[in-house]
Amino acid sequence: MTTHHHGHHHEDMLSVEKARQQILREFEPLDAETFPISDSVGLVIAENVRSGISIPTLDNSAMDGYAVRSQDVTAASQDNTVNLEVIETIAAGSLPTKPIEPGKASRIMTGAPIPDLADAVIPFEETTEEDFLGTADIKEIGIKMAASPGTNIRIKGKDIEKNELVIEKGHIITPATVGVLASMGMSHVKTIRKPVISILSTGNELLSPGEELSDGKIYDSNSSSIVASVMLLGAIPKYVGIAKDDMDSVRDKLAEAMDSDLIISSAGVSKGDYDMVKDVMSEHGDLQFWSVRMRPAKPLAFGILNKNSRKAVPLIGLPGNPVSSLVAFEQFCRPAIQKMMGKTNLERPIIKAVLKDSIENYDGRRVYARVVVTKTETGFVAETTGNQDSNILTSMLKANGLAICPEDEHGKNPGDIVSVVMIDD
Ligand code: AMP
Ligand code: MG
């Protein structure tokens, strides 16, 4: 269960799958809450939703036209106009006041309720309506079309029957879902709540963007890219700032971060780092430091802080190099967050592509190479975005996929088929 690493040998490295498994088994879908539909897209519905109403709520007209009795117009055609007395106009949103007796008709607008005894609507185009353009009060209308019962009538409950199970628990809310909920009159729905993700960086060298650069310092890019990644997943980022490489600073920042569903830190998890970062993190729980058999993003920390207490909170410690932190986020944080959000498909789509250039694999790890995938007539083509060093963040800028070179292969050559994890949403 616990994997210690004693050196650089592959046997001591944890496979990507094993690391993922060990992380993911510590996460469960969060509890449900009642949430406004307007802000719910992407969330998972936490209840079976039944409709309190029928939709349509009443039989109504599918066209602007005349509500008639079909048996009154059986003889009607373009050459044989049947005249009916017009008794009222029914607008959408108002109710008919008169039934359609033989020889009568009501002007009716799309969406307006069908009057009693009418069983068809004849569209304006099939009547003498245009003869009356500008007439306020039409007394009689010529019908030029026969219609079978039900023509141009939208039946009550045709879309949704009252009490029908419309949306099942586990459904991921789309704009259409929000529309259906609204159509049933629901302003709120029970969803799995959004996880709060604390994000912190560690390192004496780090400055926040906006601060003035000084020698030896760099800007903290990891926090920004991780906050953005968390937002894109629909979770709530809580940026707690930069911890210095000293015990008190790390302690302070961690204390601020404890009030969340997951803490994501970056840097301070590789060998040769200031041990105090590890030490402080370990004060709060059993943090494990792993070497994952992947490139980039080999070093990774994982543990549950305050384990066995009510305020237990998992921590994923990402590597410091900017590309490593994003690639490790993809592999480990994204599925953990998705799982908390109640999602069951935690995988990104993987496609097969023909590699245009090559991928090196010199030490038996699984390589995730940053590639641009394009669709051609013969299928997908993947091309690396250039320098694959883990500090070259701009190589991530162009990438829409991560092409995999497996652990047991020395590399991939031009023309080889590669699996590519698509990372663009
Ligand atoms: P470390 O894991 O602390 O040894 O960091 C590895 C590399 O990542 C170093 O070059 C750090 O300067 C860099 N690094 C660490 N944290 C960040 C960050 N938040 N933003 C950008 N680069 C970072
Ligand atoms: Mg550091």
Side-chain angles (χ1 to χ4, degrees), residues 12-312:
D12 298 327
M13 285 198 202
L14 207 52
S15 70
V16 174
E17 282 70 27
K18 205 70 209 236
R20 257 169 90 110
Q21 251 175 38
Q22 294 204 28
I23 291 173
L24 288 181
R25 70 172 181 214
E26 300 291 345
F27 292 86
E28 289 300 328
L30 300 179
D31 43 324
E33 67 178 9
T34 301
F35 205 74
I37 63 165
S38 53
D39 199 19
S40 70
V41 74
L43 299 182
V44 171
I45 298 241
E47 63 182 345
N48 284 334
V49 180
R50 288 179 184 280
S51 181
I53 59 173
S54 300
I55 299 177
T57 53
L58 296 169
D59 293 352
N60 69 88
S61 179
M63 300 289 279
D64 295 325
Y66 284 87
V68 302
R69 303 161 66 94
S70 57
Q71 68 263 44
D72 283 358
V73 298
T74 44
S77 70
Q78 292 299 320
D79 313 317
N80 184 36
T81 300
V82 170
N83 289 321
L84 298 173
E85 184 194 339
V86 179
I87 55 175
E88 69 174 330
T89 292
I90 312 156
S94 56
L95 292 174
T97 62
K98 295 168 184 161
I100 307 300
E101 306 289 355
K104 307 200 180 213
S106 285
R107 257 179 118 238
I108 190 165
M109 303 302 136
T110 304
I114 301 295
D116 285 347
L117 306 181
D119 65 356
V121 171
I122 310 297
F124 285 156
E125 302 88 285
E126 305 294 338
T127 70
T128 54
E129 174 79 8
E130 65 176 8
D131 299 348
F132 300 103
L133 256 175
T135 311
D137 198 13
I138 304 170
K139 294 273 186 295
E140 196 182 61
I141 192 73
I143 305 292
K144 299 180 172 183
M145 184 188 104
S148 50
T151 301
N152 293 320
I153 292 181
R154 305 192 289 210
I155 302 293
K156 173 180 176 176
K158 180 92 188 198
D159 190 2
I160 296 174
E161 296 276 12
K162 188 175 175 173
N163 294 325
E164 182 182 328
L165 176 60
V166 182
I167 302 167
E168 284 185 55
K169 191 172 164 170
H171 171 89
I172 299 171
I173 299 176
T174 64
T177 316
V178 176
V180 169
L181 292 167
S183 76
M184 296 188 289
M186 296 173 66
S187 62
H188 290 73
V189 68
K190 245 190 176 172
T191 56
I192 306 284
R193 76 174 168 82
K194 297 182 180 187
V196 176
I197 316 294
S198 287
I199 294 143
L200 75 109
S201 295
T202 64
N204 284 341
E205 74 277 35
L206 301 178
L207 294 172
S208 291
E211 289 184 322
E212 195 175 336
L213 191 60
S214 51
D215 283 347
K217 306 284 184 184
I218 63 167
Y219 288 116
D220 168 12
S221 61
N222 291 347
S223 289
S224 298
S225 58
I226 300 305
V227 165
S229 303
V230 165
M231 287 182 75
L232 212 48
L233 288 176
I236 302 169
K238 176 181 164 182
Y239 174 57
V240 298
I242 300 167
K244 296 269 179 227
D245 291 314
D246 68 64
M247 299 192 75
D248 283 340
S249 180
V250 176
R251 251 183 221 123
D252 285 354
K253 289 298 172 195
L254 270 187
E256 277 181 58
M258 290 310 261
D259 190 15
S260 54
D261 299 298
L262 166 66
I263 300 170
I264 300 177
S265 67
S266 73
V269 294
S270 55
K271 296 184 177 78
D273 256 298
Y274 291 88
D275 271 330
M276 65 206 59
V277 176
K278 297 178 178 179
D279 289 347
V280 174
M281 290 183 176
S282 300
E283 281 172 5
H284 296 273
D286 68 314
L287 209 60
Q288 299 165 31
F289 293 88
W290 294 337
S291 285
V292 184
R293 198 171 173 185
M294 66 189 283
R295 173 192 306 281
K298 185 172 80 164
L300 191 78
F302 179 67
I304 311 293
L305 308 187
N306 289 346
K307 199 170 182 164
N308 301 325
S309 93
R310 232 167 11 93
K311 295 175 96 181

